[in-house]
Amino acid sequence: MPDSSSEPDDATVDAVGKLVAALETVEQARGHLYAFHHLTGSADFALDEAAEALEKAGHAEWAERIRTELIGLNVLPERWTFQLIEEYDDGYYAAFRGMTRNVTDDLTGGRRHLHEERVKRRRRTEGRPGHEMGEPST
């Protein structure tokens, strides 16, 4: 464990903590983007069954319109959901993660959750099983 005298000041720890919390929000947004991708794909495949059922019910014209106009339709101009994910991952997400990594490397020795580490030190019961401090993970 690092010597507390070599740790950054409280204001730096707080500022880096805010940056890391923002990254955690971006991680959640990314998860929702993947959920959007999976749900949209599932809906697109479910349209096959809907079109088939409409055709069997005597509504071939509606079945054909679903097959030709809706199945496989771009969610945005020239984009399916997998393309949105790839562009998000390679652009905004990569930049955000990279900046956070650079800031934490420079200001906290790469320790992303130094604020939480300090909270753990204060809240644990010294010597109690299950309350061990452990080494920092980064």
Side-chain angles (χ1 to χ4, degrees), residues 3 10 16 33 40 49 54 81 83 107 110 119 129 131-132 138:
D3 176 25
D10 289 342
V16 171
L33 186 58
T40 301
E49 292 180 22
L54 283 166
T81 57
Q83 292 166 304
L107 300 178
V119 170
H131 286 240
E132 300 83 8
T138 55

Side-chain angles (χ1 to χ4, degrees), residues 29-71:
R30 184 172 179 255
H32 288 295
L33 186 58
Y34 272 87
F36 168 73
H37 165 61
H38 291 164
L39 291 168
T40 301
S42 294
D44 190 68
F45 282 110
L47 288 172
D48 291 322
E49 292 180 22
E52 185 177 325
L54 283 166
E55 193 167 50
K56 285 181 181 177
H59 306 287
E61 61 284 345
W62 284 116
E64 183 59 20
R65 284 193 65 189
I66 287 171
R67 288 184 182 116
T68 59
E69 295 177 32
L70 196 53
I71 291 175

Side-chain angles (χ1 to χ4, degrees), residues 61-132:
E61 61 284 345
W62 284 116
E64 183 59 20
R65 284 193 65 189
I66 287 171
R67 288 184 182 116
T68 59
E69 295 177 32
L70 196 53
I71 291 175
L73 180 66
N74 291 331
V75 295
L76 291 174
E78 301 180 7
R79 293 288 178 267
W80 272 21
T81 57
F82 77 89
Q83 292 166 304
L84 300 178
I85 287 173
E86 289 176 355
E87 291 170 14
Y88 182 85
D89 279 354
D90 295 344
Y92 184 80
Y93 180 69
F96 207 123
R97 280 187 50 120
M99 180 68 71
T100 302
R101 186 178 315 108
N102 291 340
V103 169
T104 58
D105 285 350
D106 185 49
L107 300 178
T108 63
R111 292 155 65 201
R112 294 176 305 232
H113 293 93
L114 187 52
H115 172 76
E116 289 87 343
E117 186 180 317
R118 288 181 174 185
V119 170
K120 181 178 182 177
R121 274 190 225 134
R122 288 192 307 269
R123 295 185 57 82
R124 68 190 197 92
T125 303
E126 184 74 36
R128 178 135 181 112
H131 286 240
E132 300 83 8

